[in-house]
């Protein structure tokens, strides 16, 4: 079990953190055919397709405890294998997880691994396009650019009449957009599609659509209900949590709902289909 950046094992009465050799043996027991999609190896990729600078500088300090890093004498290959970014083979291959999180160019191997952002000057797709961009790259860069895109597009009105203190009133709460955008990246399907996450920002609403319908115990009837969650990409979700973009599993939707209510926005609406999920946020009146 991995907890707080450490791998814990129990062998008979002994319970302790795993040594490098123990973790290696445990990793070898995983069978590729039993792995979820995000842990499958990419036979056409090599470790040169991973950005080791981002891995060392950004991911490892977020995923592992500091004292573990200080004592770490493992090779880069062993470090990549320990967090499931590479296979445990004589010639290690990057996993889909590794390419998505720290890949030099994730779209080279996973073409749908990006967010398409479209700002419409109107309320229909046929209205003039104000701005458009494709947000991609390794996961830390993608999520940071997505946050920045939300921030620059939020309009903030200032009210100096309602109270003695100046009030800042955004048309959308930034935290709600962050939670729903990250939720789309985390829960989307990366298998069998070339479609990106699509964020379309109209003058009166925002639509966030991610490929892939409900998964596991989540269905159309219970979608969005508190405590009902499942993970199509469980290790990608773990990586986002390690990086600090997901604070607690299963609470993103509830946090977004609360933030919209506190800001005075109408509740968001879900459209759940077999092949995609669409969430629509209405602008604050």
């Amino acid at each position: 079990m991995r907890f707080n950046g450490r791998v814990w094992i129990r062998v008979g009465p002994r319970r302790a953190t795993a040594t490098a050799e123990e973790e290696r043996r445990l990793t070898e027991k995983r069978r590729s055919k039993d792995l979820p999609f995000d842990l499958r190896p990419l036979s056409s990729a090599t470790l040169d397709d991973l950005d080791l600078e981002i891995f060392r500088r950004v991911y490892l300090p977020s995923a592992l405890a500091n004292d573990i890093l200080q004592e770490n004498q493992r090779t880069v290959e062993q470090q990549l294998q320990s967090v499931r970014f590479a296979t445990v083979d004589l010639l290690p291959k990057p996993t889909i997880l590794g390419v998505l999180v720290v890949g030099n160019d994730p779209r080279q191997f996973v073409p749908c691994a990006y967010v398409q952002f479209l700002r419409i000057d109107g309320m229909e797709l046929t209205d003039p396009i104000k701005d458009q961009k494709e947000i991609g790259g390794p996961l830390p860069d993608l999520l940071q650019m997505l946050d920045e895109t939300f921030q620059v597009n939020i309009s903030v009105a200032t009210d100096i009449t309602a109270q003695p203190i100046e009030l800042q009133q955004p048309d959308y709460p930034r935290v709600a957009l962050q939670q729903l955008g990250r939720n789309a990246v985390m829960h989307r399907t990366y298998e069998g599609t070339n479609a990106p996450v699509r964020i379309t920002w109209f003058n009166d609403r925002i639509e966030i659509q991610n490929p892939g319908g409900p998964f596991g115990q989540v269905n159309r009837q219970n979608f969005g209900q508190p405590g009902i969650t499942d993970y199509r990409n469980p290790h990608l979700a773990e990586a986002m949590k390690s990086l600090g973009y997901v604070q607690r599993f299963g609470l993103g939707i509830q946090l977004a709902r609360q933030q919209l209510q506190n800001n005075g926005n109408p509740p968001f609406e879900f459209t759940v289909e077999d092949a995609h999920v669409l969430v629509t946020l209405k602008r604050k009146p």
Side-chain angles (χ1 to χ4, degrees):
M1 181 180 71
R2 185 182 298 277
F3 180 71
N4 283 347
R6 295 176 171 84
V7 175
W8 293 87
I9 61 170
R10 181 190 292 274
V11 180
R14 184 172 75 89
R15 181 179 64 186
T17 55
T19 65
E21 177 61 20
E22 288 169 334
E23 188 173 341
R24 184 189 64 79
R25 290 200 304 268
L26 289 171
T27 304
E28 286 177 340
K29 291 181 180 180
R30 303 189 188 108
R31 293 180 299 171
S32 178
K33 66 179 181 179
D34 293 334
L35 296 178
F37 180 74
D38 56 3
L39 288 191
R40 294 178 190 172
L42 285 164
S43 59
S44 59
T46 70
L47 296 189
D48 290 336
D49 293 306
L50 301 181
D51 189 329
L52 299 183
E53 173 63 21
I54 290 181
F55 177 65
R56 294 192 190 97
R57 177 175 52 84
V58 178
Y59 190 79
L60 281 181
S62 301
L64 300 178
N66 184 61
D67 58 324
I68 297 294
L69 286 177
Q70 295 298 324
E71 298 173 0
N72 201 336
Q73 301 299 318
R74 301 177 186 179
T75 64
V76 173
E77 288 82 2
Q78 291 172 332
Q79 291 175 328
L80 290 167
Q81 291 165 347
S82 72
V83 294
R84 305 181 180 93
F85 287 0
T87 61
V88 182
D89 296 313
L90 185 61
L91 295 175
K93 292 289 186 180
T95 61
I96 291 173
L97 174 68
V99 165
L100 289 176
V101 179
V102 296
N104 290 315
D105 182 11
R107 291 180 64 182
Q108 179 181 354
F109 303 99
V110 188
C112 61
Y114 68 102
V115 176
Q116 183 181 73
F117 178 84
L118 195 63
R119 180 71 189 264
I120 303 293
D121 191 12
M123 294 178 286
E124 303 292 339
L125 276 174
T126 53
D127 289 330
I129 296 174
K130 194 174 182 178
D131 186 25
Q132 61 179 330
K133 62 182 66 177
E134 293 183 355
I135 303 170
L139 188 66
D141 291 350
L142 184 151
L143 295 175
Q144 181 179 347
M145 287 187 288
L146 184 59
D147 285 355
E148 292 172 354
T149 300
F150 286 143
Q151 184 63 42
V152 299
N153 281 278
I154 291 174
S155 298
V156 179
T158 301
D159 185 355
I160 60 174
T161 62
Q163 295 185 24
I165 302 175
E166 179 182 291
L167 295 179
Q168 300 290 323
Q169 299 177 324
D171 53 356
Y172 297 97
R174 181 171 59 90
V175 171
L177 296 181
Q178 288 176 333
Q179 292 299 319
L180 294 172
R182 296 168 187 176
N183 209 54
V185 171
M186 181 169 65
H187 288 292
R188 62 153 298 163
T189 180
Y190 290 88
E191 185 177 14
T193 180
N194 290 324
V197 171
R198 289 189 171 92
I199 300 177
T200 311
W201 193 306
F202 299 92
N203 287 348
D204 64 334
R205 69 193 187 280
I206 300 173
E207 295 181 353
I208 302 175
Q209 178 178 307
N210 63 287
F215 179 82
Q217 68 171 340
V218 181
N219 54 47
R220 293 191 185 190
Q221 288 70 41
N222 63 22
F223 195 96
Q225 294 182 13
I228 306 296
T229 188
D230 212 328
Y231 296 95
R232 177 180 278 110
N233 309 297
H235 301 91
L236 181 63
E238 181 182 350
M240 292 178 67
K241 185 176 185 295
S242 295
L243 289 166
Y245 286 99
V246 179
Q247 294 179 347
R248 293 177 62 186
F249 291 146
L251 291 185
I253 290 177
Q254 307 311 316
L255 180 57
R257 183 176 284 124
Q258 181 186 67
Q259 290 291 316
L260 287 168
Q261 181 179 359
N262 293 344
N263 195 61
N265 294 76
F268 55 69
E269 300 173 358
F270 278 118
T271 302
V272 182
E273 303 291 348
D274 291 339
H276 74 268
V277 174
L278 172 69
V279 58
T280 302
L281 299 85
K282 302 289 185 61
R283 184 175 181 174
K284 179 177 179 178

